[in-house]
Structures are given as structure tokens and as C-alpha cells.
Amino acid sequence: MKIRVLGPLSADVNGMSIVPTAGKPRQILALLALYPGRVVPVPTLMEEIWGTELPQSALTTLQTYILQLRRRLGTAMGPGVPGAAKDVLATRHGGYLLQIPSEAVDVHEYERLVAEGQQASDEGEDDRAALAYRTALGLWEGPALVDVRVGPILAIEVMRLEESRLVTRERRIDADLRLGRHVEVIAELTDLIARHPQHEGLHSQAMVALYRSGRQATALDVYHRLRRRLIEELGVEPAPQLQRLHQAMLAVDPQLDILCGPRRSSTFDLYAA
């Protein structure tokens, strides 16, 4: 079985999709897929589907949805494998679980690659870090579970995954900047700061990429636009390290050069106290 949640939900067995068309069974499959080999309690599944207002028939209806998923699974697995669907989508005391290896789900491969990238970064191997992060991000095919109606449990998981995706992009860009790939990341950062107009870390990266590309005036303009926005919308000044980065650019500080900065520092922390 191969399951993808980093984008549209897909789950294939022997080349046949087992993803149901109905919304609630899709939610159940998505939630179980996020915890392969672990029991998801019945109350958690019910909360995901119905929130806090459970119908009187909630347990019976949930069991019906599980039965529907097992039928699709059994059809894909083929005849002559008695009980196999029940073994894969198994009932346990108080809940259900998908008995599949974690590597069958793309999110676990993604998290493994992110950890590999972080280890490489900690060891100062920026080439290896950038490659691992880029490979991890390449597993994404759109927003997580983009075609699944999410309830309160999945909403938290989707938020966590999307935040992880953004942090991974930041870390990959940091590695690229340490490798001198400032020109290559300008277009990506221009898009990112437009999508995240109050994100100071991304703005610091955009400033450094532009500065190192000989575009000091544009880098300073990025700072001034962010500062105006933060003051007008939140009533706060940019973080101290961002203010110091701005001053360093005005002073043409040699530490901004690719060869002089600390090798393992994030761009945002170049001028941390």
C-alpha cells in the first residue's frame, strides 16, 4: 500500500485506488494514514467526523464507514486472501489502526528527509542539507489533504504539516544562501514574502539574497515595506536582529559577505545578540 497526504489524498493497493468518494470515509482514511501502526481511538475518529455534536447513531455509522473502507481494501487486495482486509485495517480495543509500515505514507518519508537535512546542516554539510530538504519538499503535490474536508483533528494535522513545509523551505533557502546561490532564490523569496507579508525570517532571507546580488536599494526597500506593515497592522517594530541586519546593509558590513558570515547560522540570526 502507498498513501499520499502531501497534496490530494491517494491510497493505492496493487495499483488500485481505495480512496472512497464520500467525505467522511475519506476523513477516516486520512486520519488513520497519518498514524500508521498506531491505534486511533474511536472518540478521536468521531470528533473528527462530527465535532462535539455526535448523532445518536455515531458508533454504528462509524462502523459502517470502516466496513466500507475494508470492502474497498479487500477488492484491491484480490480474492484468496481471507481476512486480509481486516488484518490491514484492524480493530483494536477502543479504536482502529492501519497495519502498514510508516514508509508506506509519504509524510513519514518527508519527515525522515527533513531530519537528514537538519543533521547535515548541523554538521556544516550545506550541499547535503540543501539536497535533503529539496528532496523532502519535492514530495509535496499541493496543500496537505487538499481534497479532504477536514474536521478539528485533521485541521490541526494539516496546520502542523503546512508549518513544517514552510520551515523546511526556510532551512533549504538558508543552506542555499550559505552556498552562494543568492541569485537563484530571489524569485522564490519574492513569492514567499508576498504570501507571508509579516514573516520576518523570510524577509531577512530576501534582503540578504538581494544585497548579495548587488541590489542593495531593493533589499533596503524590502525592510522598509515590512517595517511599515508591522507598525500599521501590529503596532510593533521589526525584531532587533532584523533592525541590525538593516543597519549592517547601510554600513556595508563585511559580515554580510558569503565568505565571512557564520557557516551554520540561519540568515535571520546573522545579527542575533
Side-chain angles (χ1 to χ4, degrees):
M1 181 184 294
K2 290 292 182 184
I3 301 180
R4 302 187 64 87
V5 299
L6 303 178
L9 175 65
S10 71
D12 298 329
V13 176
N14 296 329
M16 181 182 297
S17 174
I18 64 165
V19 178
T21 55
K24 289 182 172 59
R26 289 170 75 90
Q27 287 175 266
I28 293 170
L29 178 60
L31 190 53
L32 292 171
L34 287 170
Y35 301 99
R38 291 169 55 186
V39 175
V40 179
V42 165
T44 300
L45 290 165
M46 288 182 173
E47 183 182 354
E48 167 60 27
I49 297 171
W50 293 290
T52 56
E53 299 181 4
L54 302 182
Q56 288 187 344
S57 61
L59 182 58
T60 303
T61 304
L62 175 62
Q63 291 169 341
T64 300
Y65 293 150
I66 294 292
L67 180 61
Q68 291 172 0
L69 287 170
R70 280 182 178 146
R71 283 175 178 163
R72 296 184 70 89
L73 184 57
T75 300
M77 295 177 76
V81 199
K86 280 189 175 183
D87 294 336
V88 176
L89 177 45
T91 303
R92 291 291 183 268
H93 179 69
Y96 299 93
L97 79 156
L98 273 179
Q99 297 213 85
I100 57 175
S102 61
E103 56 266 26
V105 186
D106 62 349
V107 69
H108 297 280
E109 174 66 5
Y110 162 77
E111 290 172 343
R112 183 191 68 78
L113 286 163
V114 168
E116 181 182 311
Q118 187 58 54
Q119 180 179 348
S121 181
D122 291 343
E123 295 170 355
E125 298 183 22
D126 290 322
D127 272 314
R128 188 161 65 89
L131 177 60
Y133 289 141
R134 191 169 282 108
T135 305
L137 292 165
L139 295 174
W140 288 73
E141 297 183 346
L145 297 173
V146 65
D147 59 347
V148 176
R149 185 187 72 83
V150 299
I153 309 300
L154 281 178
I156 293 170
E157 292 293 340
V158 167
M159 188 183 306
R160 177 184 67 83
L161 289 170
E162 291 295 340
E163 180 63 24
S164 171
R165 184 187 192 186
L166 183 59
V167 169
T168 300
R169 287 186 78 174
E170 283 187 83
R171 290 175 176 172
R172 197 221 78 229
I173 291 168
D174 273 334
D176 282 337
L177 287 171
R178 289 193 295 268
L179 290 164
R181 298 169 181 164
H182 32 269
V183 175
E184 291 91 326
V185 299
I186 288 176
E188 179 182 8
L189 282 166
T190 301
D191 176 69
L192 283 170
I193 62 175
R195 294 175 185 271
H196 304 277
Q198 296 178 353
H199 196 301
E200 293 177 289
L202 293 172
H203 280 74
S204 70
Q205 291 179 323
M207 289 168 65
V208 169
L210 288 162
Y211 181 91
R212 289 178 179 169
S213 302
R215 298 169 62 181
Q216 181 186 26
T218 308
L220 295 172
D221 184 57
V222 167
Y223 174 82
H224 289 303
R225 283 188 282 116
L226 171 66
R227 181 174 181 269
R228 266 196 314 272
R229 187 175 296 112
L230 292 176
I231 291 172
E232 291 172 1
E233 297 178 6
L234 300 177
V236 299
E237 290 279 351
Q241 55 262 60
L242 201 59
Q243 295 182 45
R244 288 191 286 268
L245 175 62
H246 171 243
Q247 291 300 317
M249 288 184 174
L250 291 173
V252 195
D253 188 336
Q255 187 174 332
L256 285 167
D257 186 82
I258 181 67
L259 298 177
C260 298
R263 296 302 298 160
R264 300 183 195 179
S265 172
S266 72
T267 306
F268 186 61
D269 288 331
L270 277 175
Y271 290 89

